[in-house]
C-alpha cells in the first residue's frame, strides 16, 4: 500500500479527531491537510501509520486550538461549533462514544477544557487510544495523561448532555416540530418544547441573530411561528437533516443556498435546546451561502401586509 493509500484510508479518523478537538470543519480539514504534508515529507516510514498520523493531527490541532481560543474570547454573541452534517469516521465498537462526542452540547462542554485536556479526552474516551500512545502524542508522562483524563472526564460528566435514547422517537418528534414550524402552529410547537427550552443563535456579528437566548416554551413557540409564515412565503425551504449527530435541519433560500442550520437537543419527549448557526463563515463547507441580510429584508416586506391586516 502506498503512502497516499494509507493516508486516504485513515483520513476519516484524522478528520474526526481534529474536528472534536477544534469544533471547526474548516480548521479540521486544514489540520488533516497539514498532516498529509508532514507525512509526505517524512524521510522514514513509521511502523504504525495510524499512530504516527493520529499523533501529528492531534499536535497540529492543539496548536490551532490555542490560537483559536483567543479569537473565540472576542467572538460577538454565543459561539457554536461549525455544523457537521456527516461524520466520515465509523467504528461499530465505539458508535455510542462517537455519537455523544459529536453533539453541539458535548463540543461546547469540551470548550471548557484546556487544549491538552481536550486532546487527551478525545483520544482516550472517544477513540480508545492507549495511554502510552497518548503520552507520546502530547509530550506528557503516562501518569500525567491519566490525571488529565480523570480531570477532563470529571468536567465532562458534570455537565454531560443527555439525549433521547431512541433514534426513531427523536426523528419522529423532530419531524412534527418542523411540520408545526412550517405551518406557524403556535400550539403545535408549544407542546413539543420543554417548559424551559432555550433557543440560541450564533451569528458572530455577521448575520441577523440575537446575542441572548430566548427562554420558555411560550416565547420560543411564538417567535418561531411569527418567523415561519413569511419565510415560507419568500421561498425558504426547511430541509430536515441530522446536525452533529442530533435531529436538525438546513434552511435554504429559494436558490438553494444555505441560510442557517438548526440542531435540536431532545430529552423526555421534549425539545430542550434549539441551536441555530447563522454565521456565514461557518456554513461555507455545506455549499453556497445565502445573503441572510437580504433574506431578512425580504422577510420584512413579506410580513408587512400580514401586520397591516391584523392591526
Amino acid at each position: 500500500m502506498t503512502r497516499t493509500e494509507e493516508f486516504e484510508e485513515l483520513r476519516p479518523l484524522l478528520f474526526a479527531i481534529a474536528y472534536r478537538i477544534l469544533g471547526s470543519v474548516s480548521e479540521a480539514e486544514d489540520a488533516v491537510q497539514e498532516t498529509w504534508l508532514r507525512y509526505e515529507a517524512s524521510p522514514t516510514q513509521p511502523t504504525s501509520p495510524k499512530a504516527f498520523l493520529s499523533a501529528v493531527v492531534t499536535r497540529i490541532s492543539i496548536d490551532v486550538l490555542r490560537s483559536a481560543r483567543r479569537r473565540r474570547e472576542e467572538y460577538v454573541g454565543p459561539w457554536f461549533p461549525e455544523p457537521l452534517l456527516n461524520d466520515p469516521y465509523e467504528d461499530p465498537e465505539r458508535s455510542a462514544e462517537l455519537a455523544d462526542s459529536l453533539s453541539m452540547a458535548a463540543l461546547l462542554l469540551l470548550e471548557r477544557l484546556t487544549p491538552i485536556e481536550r486532546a487527551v479526552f478525545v483520544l482516550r474516551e472517544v477513540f480508545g487510544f492507549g495511554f502510552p500512545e497518548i503520552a507520546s502524542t502530547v509530550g506528557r508522562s503516562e501518569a500525567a495523561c491519566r490525571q488529565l483524563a480523570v480531570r477532563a472526564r470529571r468536567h465532562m460528566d458534570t455537565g454531560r448532555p443527555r439525549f433521547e435514547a431512541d433514534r426513531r422517537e427523536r426523528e419522529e418528534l423532530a419531524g412534527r416540530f418542523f411540520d408545526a414550524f412550517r405551518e406557524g402552529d403556535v400550539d403545535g410547537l408549544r407542546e413539543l418544547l420543554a417548559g424551559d427550552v432555550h433557543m440560541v443563535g450564533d451569528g458572530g456579528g455577521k448575520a441577523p441573530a440575537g446575542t441572548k437566548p430566548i427562554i420558555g416554551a411560550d416565547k420560543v413557540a411564538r417567535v418561531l411561528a411569527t418567523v415561519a409564515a413569511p419565510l415560507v412565503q419568500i421561498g425558504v425551504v426547511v430541509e430536515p437533516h441530522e446536525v452533529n449527530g442530533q435531529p436538525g435541519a438546513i434552511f435554504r433560500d429559494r436558490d438553494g443556498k444555505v441560510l442557517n442550520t438548526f440542531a435540536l437537543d431532545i430529552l423526555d419527549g421534549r425539545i430542550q435546546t434549539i441551536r441555530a448557526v447563522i454565521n456565514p463563515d461557518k456554513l461555507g463547507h455545506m455549499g453556497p451561502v445565502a445573503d441572510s441580510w437580504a433574506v431578512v429584508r425580504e422577510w420584512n416586506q413579506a410580513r408587512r401586509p400580514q401586520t397591516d391586516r391584523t392591526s
Side-chain angles (χ1 to χ4, degrees):
M1 185 179 291
T2 67
R3 282 198 178 191
T4 301
E5 290 170 336
E6 288 173 339
F7 183 83
E8 290 303 322
E9 185 175 277
L10 290 165
R11 181 187 288 272
L13 170 63
L14 302 179
F15 175 85
I17 292 171
Y19 177 77
R20 285 164 173 81
I21 294 175
L22 293 167
S24 165
V25 173
S26 55
E27 289 174 347
E29 289 174 342
D30 288 346
V32 172
Q33 181 60 25
E34 177 62 25
T35 300
W36 160 247
L37 294 176
R38 295 188 188 184
Y39 186 44
E40 186 182 36
S42 176
T44 59
Q45 177 66 20
T47 304
S48 169
K50 177 183 176 182
F52 175 84
L53 292 168
S54 299
V56 172
V57 80
T58 298
R59 292 176 193 137
I60 291 171
S61 298
I62 289 171
D63 289 341
V64 173
L65 182 59
R66 284 179 174 138
S67 61
R69 294 188 82 153
R70 288 192 289 272
R71 295 194 302 273
R72 291 173 191 177
E73 289 173 359
E74 301 170 355
Y75 196 80
V76 178
W79 179 92
F80 293 157
E82 289 183 10
L84 184 65
L85 302 184
N86 298 292
D87 187 359
Y89 179 71
E90 296 181 359
D91 181 353
E93 294 184 2
R94 305 195 68 81
S95 59
E97 293 89 344
L98 289 169
D100 287 349
S101 66
L102 194 62
S103 73
M104 285 206 172
L107 290 171
L108 288 171
L109 275 177
L110 284 169
E111 285 289 306
R112 302 179 185 179
L113 307 181
T114 67
I116 293 291
E117 286 174 340
R118 185 164 180 166
V120 169
F121 181 87
V122 167
L123 291 176
R124 179 62 182 174
E125 300 296 325
V126 181
F127 295 99
F129 281 76
F131 281 110
E133 292 174 282
I134 296 172
S136 175
T137 295
V138 302
R140 303 289 180 88
S141 68
E142 287 186 42
C145 287
R146 290 179 187 277
Q147 291 179 340
L148 287 167
V150 169
R151 191 184 311 151
R153 194 182 306 118
R154 187 182 304 125
H155 281 301
M156 293 296 290
D157 286 346
T158 299
R160 186 182 294 275
R162 294 167 52 233
F163 303 114
E164 197 73 57
D166 191 294
R167 185 187 187 92
R168 184 188 59 78
E169 289 182 7
R170 286 185 303 165
E171 292 175 350
E172 188 273 336
L173 189 148
R176 288 165 53 203
F177 169 79
F178 287 116
D179 285 344
F181 173 78
R182 293 187 193 93
E183 296 166 4
D185 181 357
V186 175
D187 292 335
L189 288 165
R190 190 188 294 113
E191 72 175 19
L192 299 173
L193 302 173
D196 60 349
V197 62
H198 282 51
M199 184 166 71
V200 195
D202 172 353
K206 299 183 178 183
T211 58
K212 294 183 179 180
I214 300 171
I215 302 173
D218 190 63
K219 285 184 179 179
V220 171
R222 291 185 181 280
V223 168
L224 289 172
T226 299
V227 166
L231 280 182
V232 172
Q233 186 177 337
I234 64 175
V236 170
V237 175
V238 182
E239 180 184 302
H241 198 293
E242 195 170 84
V243 177
N244 286 79
Q246 301 300 318
I250 305 169
F251 288 63
R252 299 183 185 274
D253 70 6
R254 62 161 59 92
D255 298 319
K257 295 180 179 179
V258 179
L259 181 62
N260 70 284
T261 63
F262 268 15
L264 310 178
D265 291 350
I266 298 174
L267 178 66
D268 297 331
R270 292 289 185 273
I271 295 168
Q272 308 289 326
T273 310
I274 303 168
R275 294 185 179 88
V277 176
I278 312 169
N279 185 342
D281 294 347
K282 296 185 176 184
L283 303 173
H285 61 281
M286 294 189 287
V289 179
D291 182 343
S292 56
W293 295 106
V295 171
V296 167
R297 288 193 295 271
E298 192 174 357
W299 177 83
N300 281 324
Q301 292 173 355
R303 67 190 293 263
R304 278 195 197 111
Q306 182 181 23
T307 303
D308 293 343
R309 285 196 302 271
T310 57
S311 60

